Structure formats: structure tokens, C-alpha cells
């Protein structure tokens, strides 16, 4: 395998404007979960975001596909006949709805003092696009892998991840992988959830 270039950071910086343009395009899609409609199980917004990212991945020259109009993937490395299993990178393109408390337009990319603002910059469009772009730069260097690497784009993480059973009904799960979510790679744990029901002699509270 050809070693990764020592100046990979410089390589990214040379293509930074291209990355920001793609991120801006994806952020502009208000991919908040909506009512199910024709060929859009989680609403028009999440489906549009998926179509936007898959178009970017197609332009980059990756093998792409989608399942149920709600999960897509971009793949690099040997094909399925040569590598039946794959390393997965799982993220999501849906976002939480916005309230009227933003200093900058939530569905636009704003750069101020070397900081990026916009709904999804951290959770999860920004990290997911960063991973796709990193794989694209590896591809441009003609670095080869022995295993398939597949980036999986979900569209329902914020509302229960109902998209994943749809994906797994048609594709096997990866043998290993990671999720570039939020402040990756610094995040090492998640807050817990507690569901409590109180029952008294008079009924459920």
C-alpha cells in the first residue's frame, strides 16, 4: 500500500475552498424530519440532503448507492467481489429544527474569525462531509486499500434512526467502523437517557 503523504494537511488546505463550497451546498438544505410523502419516508428535506451528498460523491468518482430514499453510501476500494466485508463510516444528514435565536442564518454557512456557523456544522453534516472529502483526497493520491471503505449517510438519526433497519434489510453491517459525529475525535461518551414512569394508587402520573 502506498504510504499516506506527510503533507496531507497541506493537500487539504489547497482544496479547502472546494470543501467549503460542498459544505455550503449541503447546509442550505433544511433537512429537518418532516411528514412522510412520496419517495421521502422522513420528509422532503432529508431526502434532498441525501440527493445532494450523493451527487457530490458521484462527482468525486466514488461508487454510490441508496436504499429506500433514506440511506445512501459512497464507497472506495476493491469491489464487493474482491472484498465481501467493508469498513463503515456512519453519519447522518438530518438536523434538529431551528428556533428564532440564531445570530447567523441557520441554513447558510457563515465563517467568522476562523469559526464556521450553520445548522449541521458539527452535528453531523460537517464531520460527515469532512470524512467524505478526506477519502476523496486519499483517492486523488491513488492510495489503494485492501478492504472496502463505505461512508453511510443516514437521514433519521435525530428522530430515532428508523432508517438503519431499512439499510440493514438490504446490506450487511460493516465488520468495524466509526461515527464522525459532533466534536469527533474528542468525544468519548454520550449523555444518558432516563425514561421514568411514576405509578401511584390513583394511577399513572
Amino acid at each position: 500500500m502506498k504510504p499516506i503523504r506527510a503533507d496531507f494537511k497541506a493537500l487539504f488546505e489547497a482544496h479547502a475552498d472546494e470543501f467549503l463550497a460542498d459544505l455550503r451546498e449541503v447546509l442550505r438544505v433544511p433537512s429537518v424530519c418532516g411528514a412522510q410523502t412520496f419517495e421521502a419516508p422522513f420528509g422532503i428535506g432529508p431526502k434532498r440532503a441525501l440527493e445532494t451528498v450523493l451527487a457530490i460523491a458521484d462527482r468525486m468518482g466514488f461508487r454510490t448507492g441508496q436504499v429506500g430514499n433514506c440511506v445512501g453510501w459512497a464507497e472506495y476500494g476493491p469491489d464487493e467481489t474482491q472484498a465481501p466485508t467493508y469498513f463503515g463510516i456512519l453519519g447522518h444528514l438530518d438536523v434538529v429544527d431551528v428556533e428564532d435565536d440564531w445570530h447567523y442564518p441557520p441554513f447558510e454557512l457563515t465563517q467568522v474569525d476562523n469559526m464556521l456557523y450553520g445548522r449541521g456544522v458539527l452535528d453531523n453534516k460537517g464531520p460527515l462531509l469532512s470524512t467524505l472529502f478526506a477519502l476523496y483526497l486519499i483517492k486523488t493520491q491513488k492510495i489503494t486499500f485492501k478492504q472496502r471503505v463505505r461512508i453511510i449517510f443516514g437521514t433519521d438519526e435525530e428522530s430515532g434512526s428508523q432508517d438503519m433497519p431499512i439499510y440493514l434489510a438490504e446490506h450487511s453491517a460493516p465488520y468495524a467502523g466509526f461515527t464522525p459525529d459532533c466534536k469527533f475525535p474528542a468525544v468519548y461518551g454520550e449523555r444518558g437517557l432516563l425514561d421514568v414512569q411514576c405509578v401511584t394508587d390513583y394511577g399513572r402520573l
Side-chain angles (χ1 to χ4, degrees), residues 171-187:
H171 294 270
S172 62
Y175 70 84
F178 68 89
T179 297
D181 202 355
C182 198
K183 299 177 181 66
F184 173 86
V187 172

Side-chain angles (χ1 to χ4, degrees), residues 74-196:
E75 193 173 79
Y76 180 62
D79 63 28
E80 190 172 1
T81 62
Q82 299 170 307
T85 60
Y86 65 94
F87 183 88
I89 302 168
L90 174 62
H92 64 94
L93 298 168
D94 58 310
V95 296
V96 176
D97 205 354
V98 300
E99 298 181 1
D100 190 22
D101 59 355
W102 281 70
H103 296 289
Y104 305 105
F107 296 112
E108 293 289 341
L109 179 63
T110 303
Q111 187 169 2
V112 179
D113 297 330
N114 208 32
M115 297 288 289
L116 300 178
Y117 298 89
R119 176 62 91 198
V121 162
L122 281 179
D123 188 14
N124 181 223
K125 294 178 178 180
L128 196 52
L129 262 291
S130 297
T131 306
L132 178 65
F133 203 76
L135 192 61
Y136 167 63
L137 293 182
I138 289 172
K139 177 175 173 290
T140 65
Q141 300 305 296
K142 304 187 186 307
I143 298 169
T144 59
F145 294 156
K146 294 181 179 179
Q147 294 291 338
R148 284 188 292 151
V149 175
R150 174 177 287 191
I151 303 177
I152 304 170
F153 310 103
T155 62
D156 187 52
E157 193 271 351
E158 302 293 359
S159 302
S161 296
Q162 299 175 77
D163 50 348
M164 287 300 101
I166 297 173
Y167 173 81
L168 292 173
E170 293 194 17
H171 294 270
S172 62
Y175 70 84
F178 68 89
T179 297
D181 202 355
C182 198
K183 299 177 181 66
F184 173 86
V187 172
Y188 57 86
E190 293 282 356
R191 294 180 294 276
L193 297 175
L194 180 63
D195 185 3
V196 177

Side-chain angles (χ1 to χ4, degrees), residues 6 12-13 15 50 52 55 60 71 92 100 104 112 119 162 182 190 201-202:
F12 173 79
E13 290 174 348
H15 291 82
L50 181 59
T52 301
M60 291 176 170
V71 182
H92 64 94
D100 190 22
Y104 305 105
V112 179
R119 176 62 91 198
Q162 299 175 77
C182 198
E190 293 282 356
D201 292 339
Y202 303 100

